[in-house]
Amino acid sequence: MSQREVLVLGQRCVGVAEELTQALPGWRIITAHNVGEALASIGDLVRPIIGLIHIDVNDIDPLNALENISVAAGVMEWIALVEREHLSAGQVCHFISDHCYDFHTLPLDASRLAITLGHAHGRAELRLRHSRQYSKPNQFNMVGSSEAMKKLFASLGKVSGSDAPVLVHGESGTGKELVAKAVHMSSPRADGPFIAVNCGAIPAHLVQTELFGHEKGAFTGAHQRKIGLIESSNGGTIFLDEIGDLPLDLQVNFLRFLQEKTIERVGSVLRIGVDVRVIAATHVDLGKAIAEKRFREDLYYRLSVLVLSVPPLRERCDDIEILARWCFNEFSLEKNSKVQGFSNKALQVMRDYSWPGNVRELINRVRSAMVMSESRLIRPEDLGLIVENGFCDATVNALDVARGRLERSLIQQVLQLNKQNVAATARQLGLSRSTLYRMMNKLELQKE
Ligand SMILES: Nc1ncnc2c1ncn2[C@@H]1O[C@H](COP(=O)(O)OP(=O)(O)O)[C@@H](O)[C@H]1O
Ligand SMILES: [Mg+2]
């Protein structure tokens, strides 16, 4: 076993360091008079460490010390050394019960302390192992091991090997941008630029020059040539978020770029060759936008050569706890030192909640709960998830699942009736071909 370490903090503790060294063979004793010394001697820890803190209000402020040191150390367990008569003080009791693994009354009983330290170390090791298990995003820098995400990761691997355009669809906050980045980073273009453009965030009259650039003097105020975002992505990937918001008149320019791999800066007739992979994302139903003549069908087919669907969080309940724990570790440096994890009730409520804002919402709720919680384990109310009338919109989930099943079976039957002809099936179902394709994609339905 590698040597275990105990950080001994405070004047009184340092005074007994010699005694401890004798009494605790196999332990490395690190002594520190104050927080500064403690931080300097522990450095960046990737191992568990036990803190021994003497609670003496005249010496150091125990809570402050513990918070500062725990933030730097990550996984620690604290044991308080306390005079027996101080145990009756409310302040001392609170500190021990909220922040310490155990306490030991003075005078020192070295053999008993050795046992307590051993237990605390075991627990710290367990916590460290547990946190590592959850803290690892996969090769795509994503967290999740539900069946739905496993499928997505498998498709992601395949899509990365190709250079064709990709359309990522999914609700807001599901991780579309993360998926787009993963495709780029796993592709041969990884060393090239990855430029993300939110088509909905650029004012309509600026989209053209932002994407395609302009020449000097192209219009009043064009004092200099400007290289557009597509040209800047040369050799890499451009990610067009909210592609459904691309103004209709620009869609034709964009189509030409996709077809010919060339662009024209505003104010120039010269066509410039660009080598850019396009990944587009949308949270809206493009089929509907096509039907309403807000989106060009030909552009849709060009963009959706490969399609990746990111499922909403409520359809991958198995990932909720994993994401919450990963998030807990991610932000553990910001948390207040009291908070150690999630209560069972909180985990249950998180599983039942419908997460309309998906992973983004989960991260925000957990991060805020970690800072604000007043208890050792995060409770539902810390997450802002209050259970009303005994349920927390679990029914939404059940309805979605039922609807999916129904749609799947209906489409399968009509496809069969029409000998797998998609156009005829779409007509019979009163859908556009693209909507049907999109639904088949979402439901993971293939023609037989
Ligand atoms: N599977 C995941 N693992 C880790 N973080 C995720 C995952 N999915 C989403 N996120 C995080 O959630 C937030 C929202 O993701 P984002 O890709 O911006 O969603 P979208 O583009 O679909 O709105 C980001 O902070 C992102 O890093
Ligand atoms: Mg986004």
Side-chain angles (χ1 to χ4, degrees):
M1 191 197 287
S2 62
Q3 204 176 32
R4 296 178 292 182
E5 291 171 306
V6 56
L7 171 74
V8 180
L9 182 68
Q11 295 294 349
R12 175 71 205 256
C13 289
V14 173
V16 296
E18 184 116 340
E19 203 182 326
L20 284 171
T21 313
Q22 308 255 320
L24 301 171
W27 285 83
R28 189 164 88 92
I29 317 278
I30 306 166
T31 52
H33 289 88
N34 52 44
V35 177
E37 271 186 36
L39 292 175
S41 47
I42 60 175
D44 284 333
L45 281 185
V46 282
R47 53 192 195 273
I49 190 163
I50 307 307
L52 202 57
I53 186 167
H54 180 227
I55 306 186
D56 180 350
V57 271
N58 301 320
D59 181 7
I60 46 173
D61 168 5
L63 187 54
N64 200 10
L66 182 141
E67 285 193 347
N68 282 314
I69 298 169
S70 298
V71 161
V75 175
M76 278 193 90
E77 294 291 350
W78 286 91
I79 293 166
L81 283 182
V82 61
E83 320 288 341
R84 184 166 292 280
E85 59 270 25
H86 288 170
L87 273 179
S88 52
Q91 211 184 334
V92 173
C93 277
H94 277 139
F95 177 78
I96 294 176
S97 67
D98 284 349
H99 304 286
C100 296
Y101 170 77
D102 206 347
F103 66 96
H104 188 88
T105 47
L106 291 165
L108 210 65
D109 176 341
S111 57
R112 264 187 49 216
L113 181 62
I115 294 172
T116 310
L117 285 178
H119 287 168
H121 192 271
R123 185 183 143 92
E125 253 186 351
L126 209 70
R127 278 178 52 203
L128 189 69
R129 226 179 304 144
H130 189 64
S131 70
R132 280 202 190 124
Q133 230 175 42
Y134 280 108
S135 61
K136 271 207 218 112
N138 62 12
Q139 76 267 36
F140 300 119
N141 200 24
M142 294 183 78
V143 177
S145 58
S146 59
E147 284 309 311
M149 288 308 269
K150 278 188 198 151
K151 273 190 195 156
L152 176 68
F153 297 144
S155 313
L156 236 162
K158 290 181 201 154
V159 163
S160 303
S162 143
D163 209 34
V166 187
L167 181 66
V168 188
H169 65 74
E171 289 176 16
S172 198
T174 46
K176 296 186 294 297
E177 183 155 353
L178 214 53
V179 165
K181 268 191 205 138
V183 171
H184 170 75
M185 290 313 291
S186 321
S187 78
R189 296 177 174 272
D191 290 334
F194 173 88
I195 294 186
V197 188
N198 187 333
C199 301
I202 309 174
H205 67 286
L206 292 180
V207 182
Q208 168 103 359
T209 51
E210 283 295 312
L211 285 178
F212 295 91
H214 62 72
E215 289 297 341
K216 183 176 174 182
F219 47 84
T220 334
H223 301 302
Q224 268 170 357
R225 163 184 291 171
K226 177 186 162 88
I227 302 298
L229 294 168
I230 300 179
E231 219 178 319
S232 306
S233 317
N234 202 16
T237 306
I238 191 161
F239 172 57
L240 296 167
D241 205 358
E242 298 313 341
I243 188 79
D245 291 335
L246 198 65
L248 202 56
D249 55 340
L250 260 184
Q251 291 178 17
V252 66
N253 294 359
F254 205 74
L255 185 69
R256 189 148 173 221
F257 151 64
L258 280 176
Q259 281 168 340
E260 298 174 5
K261 295 262 172 196
T262 61
I263 57 144
E264 226 169 69
R265 297 186 194 129
V266 174
S268 163
V269 286
L270 199 71
R271 289 206 75 81
I272 306 163
V274 278
D275 167 31
V276 173
R277 184 182 199 183
V278 175
I279 305 180
T282 177
H283 77 280
V284 298
D285 180 354
L286 283 182
K288 194 164 157 237
I290 293 169
E292 290 168 1
K293 305 250 178 292
R294 284 184 289 111
F295 203 81
R296 294 179 64 110
E297 192 164 9
D298 46 6
L299 179 58
Y300 173 79
Y301 286 115
R302 277 279 167 185
L303 287 171
S304 60
V305 177
L306 302 168
V307 176
L308 290 175
S309 303
V310 193
L313 191 54
R314 64 182 167 279
E315 282 176 19
R316 41 178 158 126
C317 290
D318 291 350
D319 285 343
I320 291 171
E321 183 174 342
I322 296 173
L323 277 162
R325 292 198 191 278
W326 160 76
C327 193
F328 191 89
N329 289 323
E330 241 351 67
F331 297 108
S332 60
L333 295 186
E334 296 177 1
K335 78 175 166 68
N336 75 57
S337 65
K338 208 176 191 177
V339 180
Q340 300 289 321
F342 296 92
S343 67
N344 271 331
K345 189 81 193 151
L347 290 172
Q348 188 200 326
V349 166
M350 280 197 279
R351 271 192 295 272
D352 289 346
Y353 180 58
S354 66
W355 297 108
N358 295 295
V359 184
R360 183 177 293 119
E361 181 184 358
L362 181 132
I363 294 174
N364 289 344
R365 284 191 189 272
V366 170
R367 195 173 174 185
S368 152
M370 287 168 71
V371 176
M372 303 306 290
S373 177
E374 281 295 318
S375 66
R376 211 171 146 81
L377 297 176
I378 290 174
R379 299 157 305 173
E381 53 268 42
D382 299 324
L383 294 157
L385 299 176
I386 313 287
V387 188
E388 275 175 32
N389 311 324
F391 78 97
C392 192
D393 28 0
T395 39
V396 175
N397 190 4
L399 258 178
D400 271 349
V401 172
R403 189 182 303 126
R405 246 186 246 135
L406 206 77
E407 283 176 351
R408 196 184 156 86
S409 127
L410 184 68
I411 294 172
Q412 254 171 341
Q413 285 177 35
V414 182
L415 270 170
Q416 226 163 26
L417 271 174
N418 288 292
K419 305 200 170 49
Q420 308 299 319
N421 181 322
V422 175
T425 306
R427 224 173 300 125
Q428 191 165 351
L429 287 169
L431 300 170
S432 73
R433 220 153 37 107
S434 59
T435 306
L436 180 58
Y437 269 121
R438 193 186 44 74
M439 287 179 77
M440 286 169 65
N441 238 315
K442 180 172 162 219
L443 299 166
E444 287 165 354
L445 247 172
Q446 255 105 46
K447 287 198 287 177
E448 280 159 12

